[in-house]
Amino acid sequence: MYKRVIVKIGSGVISKEGQFDAQAGEHIVEQIVSLNKTGVEIVLITSGAVATGRGILKLSDKIESIVQKQVFASVGQVKLMSFYADIFGKRGYICAQVLVTKEDFRDRQHYLNMKNCFENLLQDNVVPVVNENDVIAITELIFTDNDELAGLIASQLNADAVIILTSVDGVLDGNPNDPKSQVISEIDFTKNPSFEKYITNDKSASGRGGMHTKFGTAKKLAAQGITTHIASGKRQNTIVDLVEGKSVGTKFVPNRKLSATKRRLAYSAGLSKGVVYVNKCAEDILLSKKAVSLLPVGIVKVEGVFEKGDVIEIKNEAKKKLGFGIAQYDSQKANDSIGKKKIRALVHYDYMFLE
């Protein structure tokens, strides 16, 4: 049985005909409470604020879609959290609202503060209910969808598993419209890396993600040693069954666990403050099996402004991404040290994740 689980509810599960589905939400809460009583810690990542707001407020079609979404989210978030607070409260539990933006994962202090908040809530037996802060999120820093957010939080909290509840039964071995297509019960990337051929780019009417982003999240988490399940949220008791070890939907088999630092770095796409480019010699050494750090002698170019402790991206001269690291000093010193020998590493091996 898992001890710490991130549960993500998709828009197709929590909404019906474009509006919030209270019955579906209540069944999910019942499962969380049931598992919590057995000692399982659960963080709930929920869609539904926009759908809830849409059911309350009617807006002119002349308003831009991004503005509409912010208005619906700000109105709907109040009612959505009131719903969760009421349903959890009737069962003797307290829930807490946690609104985040992508910037919170870029800034090291924000990241640690958020992690401490989650840990304290879970320690006090409070259920964190998380959503993106759509009201203030800017286009450049919007999460791909809540699947990405679930992956980031799972990595941050070293969760045992992520359960992504969607409107389909799992990853299918054929066209979703073909009745002969069957759910792939288990995916292990170490044995067969070519499962991408089964993934479509279709999205639900109410969500902005799809199976492609769910698959990408599951693949990243597997590399970090975290199990992912993609299963139907329309089915009864899916969360309970999965936590108890029953075969439901598609399970992504995890690799060995990474350190907390490397888990954070594995999910740093779009969160870095700068880029360093390395020459062919440095690239070959970094991608070898040896435990090596990134020295200035192998750097050919530095982009962006970053400070010590910021996440930076590592690319080769052809601009191909190699991975991420945590800078041991700022961008000014990094620029001054380009190509020089006998200068300490810009990125130490313990603070580097290569893809």
Side-chain angles (χ1 to χ4, degrees):
M1 181 181 285
Y2 302 126
K3 290 300 182 183
R4 178 172 288 183
V5 181
I6 312 300
V7 175
K8 180 263 177 177
I9 316 171
S11 299
V13 174
I14 205 70
S15 61
K16 182 186 294 185
E17 297 178 355
Q19 297 190 13
F20 182 73
D21 185 347
Q23 186 176 354
E26 187 164 358
H27 180 56
I28 286 164
V29 169
E30 288 171 351
Q31 294 179 76
I32 292 172
V33 169
S34 173
L35 289 168
N36 193 275
K37 289 178 179 178
T38 68
V40 181
E41 296 176 336
I42 293 181
V43 175
L44 177 61
I45 297 175
T46 180
S47 301
V50 175
T52 303
R54 192 177 286 117
I56 299 172
L57 188 65
K58 304 300 178 186
L59 295 178
S60 167
D61 291 336
K62 294 180 181 180
I63 301 178
E64 297 178 18
S65 59
I66 186 67
V67 176
Q68 279 190 340
K69 182 181 176 184
Q70 289 174 326
V71 172
F72 285 141
S74 59
V75 172
Q77 195 68 243
V78 177
K79 187 172 182 179
L80 181 65
M81 281 310 302
S82 295
F83 167 81
Y84 281 119
D86 180 55
I87 298 301
F88 274 112
K90 286 178 179 177
R91 291 159 176 79
Y93 277 78
I94 297 172
C95 67
Q97 181 182 37
V98 182
L99 292 174
V100 301
T101 67
K102 212 165 189 176
E103 185 65 31
D104 294 321
F105 290 92
R106 295 180 74 188
D107 184 276
R108 183 173 178 274
Q109 195 58 54
H110 282 205
Y111 185 88
L112 294 175
N113 289 344
M114 180 167 44
K115 182 178 186 297
N116 289 336
C117 177
F118 277 123
E119 294 286 2
N120 289 329
L121 288 171
L122 293 171
Q123 183 177 327
D124 291 333
N125 211 29
V126 175
V127 180
V129 180
V130 189
N131 203 348
E132 179 174 13
N133 195 341
D134 293 311
V135 177
I136 64 170
I138 59 174
T139 304
E140 294 81 5
L141 287 175
I142 290 177
F143 294 106
T144 305
D145 56 20
N146 275 349
D147 300 320
E148 181 187 15
L149 177 55
L152 284 162
I153 292 175
S155 176
Q156 181 183 56
L157 298 180
N158 194 21
D160 297 307
V162 173
I163 296 175
I164 297 177
L165 297 180
T166 182
S167 54
V168 297
D169 293 326
V171 179
L172 302 177
D173 62 3
N175 191 309
N177 298 318
D178 186 349
K180 294 181 180 179
S181 296
Q182 295 184 330
V183 174
I184 302 172
S185 61
E186 190 170 282
I187 291 178
D188 187 340
F189 294 106
T190 62
K191 296 178 180 178
N192 188 346
S194 61
F195 283 102
E196 281 89 344
K197 64 185 178 182
Y198 299 118
I199 307 304
T200 69
N201 287 314
D202 294 341
K203 300 179 182 180
S204 68
S206 51
R208 68 172 181 258
M211 189 57 74
H212 191 269
T213 58
K214 291 172 177 57
F215 187 86
T217 294
K219 191 171 185 179
K220 284 183 179 180
L221 289 171
Q224 299 173 54
I226 299 173
T227 305
T228 302
H229 298 272
I230 297 178
S232 173
K234 298 291 188 181
R235 176 185 176 279
Q236 291 291 299
N237 297 317
T238 296
I239 304 170
V240 172
D241 286 347
L242 286 171
V243 172
E244 292 181 347
K246 296 178 183 178
S247 180
V248 180
T250 301
K251 174 184 178 180
F252 293 79
V253 179
N255 303 339
R256 64 182 177 85
K257 283 278 188 180
L258 295 178
S259 70
T261 299
K262 289 184 183 285
R263 286 198 312 272
R264 181 192 174 197
L265 290 171
Y267 247 101
S268 290
L271 304 176
S272 57
K273 294 289 186 73
V275 184
V276 293
Y277 296 86
V278 300
N279 59 32
K280 184 66 168 62
C281 180
E283 177 185 0
D284 291 343
I285 294 172
L286 289 174
L287 297 181
S288 69
K289 300 297 182 180
K290 299 177 182 178
V292 294
S293 301
L294 175 57
L295 299 171
V297 67
I299 297 173
V300 296
K301 183 181 177 182
V302 175
E303 285 182 348
V305 177
F306 52 85
E307 302 294 331
K308 178 182 178 180
D310 285 342
V311 175
I312 55 176
E313 192 170 352
I314 304 168
K315 293 184 177 182
N316 65 11
E317 290 184 279
K319 298 186 178 181
K320 177 184 177 183
K321 181 173 67 179
L322 303 179
F324 298 92
I326 295 178
Q328 300 301 296
Y329 41 86
D330 62 32
S331 52
Q332 181 175 340
K333 183 174 179 179
N335 266 303
D336 293 340
S337 304
I338 288 175
K340 294 180 180 179
K341 299 179 180 180
K342 297 182 179 180
I343 297 179
R344 69 187 178 98
L346 174 60
V347 179
H348 189 275
Y349 171 76
D350 290 341
Y351 302 97
M352 187 189 308
F353 177 83
L354 300 174
E355 298 186 338

